[in-house]
Amino acid sequence: MTKMARSKTSAWSAKVLLLLKGGNTAAAIAQIKVAPTVKDLNSLNEALATAQLATRWRDVNDAIA
């Protein structure tokens, strides 16, 4: 049996990142507030850092924290 490789970015965090890139920060923050797991929040934080967007939205960073 082989294990499938997991991507570092969850599907949820990819969707939230798309909301942010599309300029809909209010919807992204609403999604962050009801995040499925802490792991998903960490994945979103990593995705923001990878895309060099970690410091772009202060209110998003506050919601993640």
Side-chain angles (χ1 to χ4, degrees):
M1 228 195 248
T2 60
K3 291 185 179 181
M4 297 183 101
R6 290 185 166 212
S7 70
K8 283 193 161 194
T9 305
S10 70
W12 175 85
S13 63
K15 290 176 185 178
V16 175
L17 189 59
L18 283 175
L19 285 171
L20 289 169
K21 286 182 176 180
N24 197 346
T25 56
I29 290 171
Q31 284 297 308
I32 291 167
K33 289 182 178 181
V34 295
T37 65
V38 173
K39 193 176 205 178
D40 289 319
L41 285 174
N42 290 336
S43 177
L44 176 60
N45 215 11
E46 289 175 13
L48 286 170
T50 300
Q52 297 179 344
L53 299 172
T55 59
R56 184 168 180 186
W57 300 282
R58 184 175 181 192
D59 50 348
V60 171
N61 292 336
D62 291 343
I64 292 172

